[in-house]
Amino acid sequence: MKQVFTHLGYLFIWGDIWILIMGIHALFVSPEITALSYLEAYFQLLYQVFMWVSSWSEFLKWWVLSLLGFPAAFLFIARFTLSTLLGVWILKLANKMPAKS
């Protein structure tokens, strides 16, 4: 089980490098571009998925549009940071586990 947590922790730490690259790209495109505009311009399929989910109910529409109304760079870098912190926490948890004998 320790090995599973170790691999999961590293996945959370290193698996989001593309999110960081997208955040840096969003800064260079325009620091104030919203996530909705960014997805519409660069990731049309993901944009369509978000719009499809938002059509399910008024609450989901409000939630998706509120979340995607933030600046894209902020959302991408915040997600990268939270995912990395979660990965570090999982690794610390894995290191506290006893080694398999």
Side-chain angles (χ1 to χ4, degrees), residues 36-70:
L36 188 65
S37 300
Y38 188 84
L39 290 177
E40 188 177 12
Y42 298 104
F43 297 98
Q44 291 88 16
L45 181 63
L46 189 58
Y47 172 77
Q48 292 299 324
V49 169
F50 275 120
M51 292 301 104
W52 176 62
V53 169
S54 69
S55 70
W56 292 351
S57 73
E58 285 299 316
F59 173 73
L60 283 175
K61 184 176 184 175
W62 172 82
W63 189 80
V64 167
L65 293 179
S66 296
L67 182 67
L68 295 179
F70 284 104

Side-chain angles (χ1 to χ4, degrees), residues 11-32:
L11 178 68
F12 273 106
I13 292 171
W14 293 107
D16 278 347
I17 194 69
W18 294 110
I19 296 293
L20 181 63
I21 291 170
M22 287 172 31
I24 293 169
H25 178 256
L27 280 175
F28 281 111
V29 169
S30 173
E32 59 270 346

